[in-house]
Amino acid sequence: MPALQADLFGAGLCEPEEVPACLFVVFGATGDLMARKIAPALYNLARDRDLADRLAVLGVARRPRSDEQFRQEMLQALRQYSRGGLDESFWQRFSQRWHYQTARAQKHEHYEALRQRLTSLDRLHGCQCNRVFYLSVSADLVEDIVLNLGEVGLNRPRGDDAFVRLVVEKPFGHDLDSACRLNRTLLEHFDESQLYRIDHYLGKETVLNLLVLRFGNSVFEPLLNRHHVARVEITTAETSGMEARRGPYYEQAGALRDMIQNHMLQLLALIAMDVPGSLGAQAIRDEKVKVLRSIPPLTPEQVQRWTVRGQYVGEGDIPAYTREPGVAADSQVETYAAVRLSVDNRRWAGVPFYLRTGKRLAAKASQIAVIFRPEPVSLFYSADCPIRSPNRLVLSITPDEGVYLVVDAKVPGPRMMLRPVKLDFRYESSFQSASPEAYEHLLLETICGDPTLFIRRDEAEAAWRVVDSIRNSWLATGLPTLEKYPPLSWGPASADRLFEDPYGGWLAIR
Ligand code: BG6
């Protein structure tokens, strides 16, 4: 049977010859993200899709490097982080198209040199003046780079058929005002159609599958509304702390802004959105933004009741957050956050959405769980037995990519005893192939010019409106207080207090 060729992930289905030639320019090329994610994604894309003659890469950073040194560093990074081993002979060939340019973000004169370098690399590798600029730099450098690119004219395509695109990594600002300011600066130099605000969760296979599951099947969609759903729980838990020198960044972010403002509100938007009119970028993003705008900002009283914040302490070899490099000894930054939100529209009014995220938790796990209401007439349970295992639909993003449904079944034997069982779909067993990394998907979409899986300006701003209401209240009232939690636990002891149902609590992660 031929595979379903829906055009949702258009670029993902591009034939190699349909992928345009492109010079991929990474600012911050000596950084951690380049080594761990961007370089492996470019390498795997080129290898798996036969793009080695179409792509060329220019790393840009302030540290001096020769092309050869840069290639050696990238080779080390690929050995360490690339999925599926390294094809040395392929890399020998492809690496000849990887180059390096020293430049400082703030130095205007360096951009003139960059412009000339791009022109000569375009000629050398036949990139047809198509360029993607990827900003993998700290937030405070973004505006300088955008301004300088604009001043030397690198923001505009050279010729009608060529393209220039700009990929911006989060954080998109640190609150609503700064996000609006950043968006204004970006839009002074680039059109919205050139901007790709990246959120790597949107490139994850299970997240993409969420749309197929909901809108490509007839069984789930009729159930996803306030008539059938009791609550939705979204978890992104990590066992890691502040590895890879992340302390200084995290001190400026905290769990709320690092994960909830972007990845988790995107997951919420995808599970709650209405069916889009088409699979086009505008239709999908219009529906997502409607959901984000339907989440009422929290009042200070709600923040106190409906949010929890925590910070991990140390134990054994695991240092406390406040002992991590680059973190203040009296830091009040939250490494755990949980919030209860609502989506005030006809579909979801009255259904609580619980979001929790944290570092140094008991497992690395991300999932969306939809918990259904019990059936109104219960033949198998007595009315005085309120503790039930509810039916639930769980989309597991990490570690086992898949979807499962939990329903009750009869335990074999003479007595009518019920037990919850799982109807389970796992990518690994159904497709027998490893999913590509999220970054591979998203970089290909950028090169092919499909912005569906990127965040539009209004989405980012709508998410900030919600997050600001929580953060401003935390700052103004200090409530709820920051609770300490031990590493490898499920967060602060009071994390269950968001549930008004006395039997409610976070679902166990499988
Ligand atoms: C990043 C956050 O966006 O996502 C990190 O900045 C976090 O703090 C990471 O560790 C989690 O991504 P994943 O794909 O490992 O769940």
Side-chain angles (χ1 to χ4, degrees), residues 171-186:
F172 315 120
H174 49 86
D175 57 13
L176 178 59
D177 283 350
S178 58
C180 293
R181 223 173 24 249
L182 173 63
N183 278 330
R184 276 198 299 275
T185 309
L186 291 170

Side-chain angles (χ1 to χ4, degrees), residues 43-56:
Y43 163 81
N44 283 311
L45 270 181
R47 189 196 52 191
D48 293 356
R49 297 187 158 257
D50 204 12
L51 300 179
D53 298 331
R54 292 174 174 263
L55 289 184

